[in-house]
Amino acid sequence: MEPTEDYSFPPVSFKPLLTEISGLLRSTSSTLAVAETTTGGLVSASLLSVSGASKFFVGGATVYTTKSRRTWAGWTDENLVNYIGPTPELVTELAANVREQMDVTYCIGESGATGPTVPGPPFVHIAGQTYIAVVSHEGFATRVVNTGVADREKNMMAFTKAALVLLRDVLAGDVKLEQQCRPDSKSTEATKL
């Protein structure tokens, strides 16, 4: 007899976080979109695992390539010419473009490198590092996450959880949104997982 596969999703550790996020979004009638790269749709899938997600989740895009970023996330020739890797500014702009296109209250943006390999120069990618932004019309918050490992699957899950934690922190008022147009690298929170 073959062993039964475990199809449980999201991870058990995500469930209280997702319940809290859902409650915070519903209590303010807020809506949400997601623009993710290295999490590969896991942020969106995690949010969609919540019963009644249609009350707040409007849509998500996995913009893993420059072609998808141009088509779905508002990237221009300038973004492509100057691209050397993810930055807090890039992720904030990614989330801001998708938030405007989707006409939602909040948008999560995420971009980094899961590993185990990363492109070489001129690109600056660090395996196990991602940048996350939560953007609303009121401002933005960013976070840098560095797991210190180059395990692709572990990083995808760690980055997903970190994106959800930043969203929860913003919604709960634990992280204040910055008001300037672009993030400044001095104000970006760093998180080591």
Side-chain angles (χ1 to χ4, degrees):
M1 180 174 204
E2 288 185 41
T4 306
E5 287 194 46
D6 180 7
Y7 293 109
S8 60
F9 182 85
V12 173
S13 66
F14 286 27
K15 291 185 180 191
L17 180 59
L18 291 165
T19 299
E20 189 176 357
I21 289 168
S22 172
L24 289 165
L25 288 166
R26 289 179 194 193
S27 70
T28 58
S29 298
S30 296
T31 54
L32 176 69
V34 177
E36 56 192 310
T37 69
T38 58
T39 52
L42 291 173
V43 175
S44 294
S46 295
L47 291 160
L48 287 169
S49 74
V50 176
S51 179
S54 61
K55 299 281 189 223
F56 60 84
F57 187 84
V58 176
T62 302
V63 286
Y64 192 69
T65 65
T66 54
K67 182 176 182 177
S68 61
R69 292 173 197 174
R70 179 189 287 274
T71 304
W72 295 330
W75 269 32
T76 65
D77 289 339
E78 183 179 337
N79 294 114
L80 297 172
V81 167
N82 296 322
Y83 181 74
I84 59 167
T87 63
E89 296 84 4
L90 178 138
V91 173
T92 300
E93 185 177 317
L94 184 72
N97 286 338
V98 171
R99 190 193 74 76
E100 288 176 23
Q101 287 180 15
M102 298 299 291
D103 191 26
V104 293
T105 315
Y106 296 96
C107 185
I108 303 170
E110 177 277 328
S111 186
T114 55
T117 60
V118 294
F123 299 107
V124 180
H125 290 271
I126 299 168
Q129 181 171 294
T130 196
Y131 297 86
I132 303 165
V134 173
V135 175
S136 80
H137 71 280
E138 296 173 0
F140 65 91
T142 60
R143 200 169 269 171
V144 179
V145 175
N146 191 333
T147 64
V149 299
D151 183 299
R152 189 174 192 85
E153 293 172 2
K154 287 180 182 175
N155 285 330
M156 289 176 74
M157 294 308 291
F159 296 171
T160 298
K161 187 170 188 179
L164 294 170
V165 168
L166 179 58
L167 175 62
R168 189 267 324 273
D169 291 350
V170 166
L171 295 173
D174 297 337
V175 170
K176 301 297 179 202
L177 296 175
E178 295 184 46
Q179 303 303 308
Q180 62 196 45
C181 294
R182 300 260 186 243
D184 127 2
S185 59
K186 293 179 213 150
S187 63
T188 301
E189 293 183 50
T191 301
K192 173 77 171 166
L193 295 177

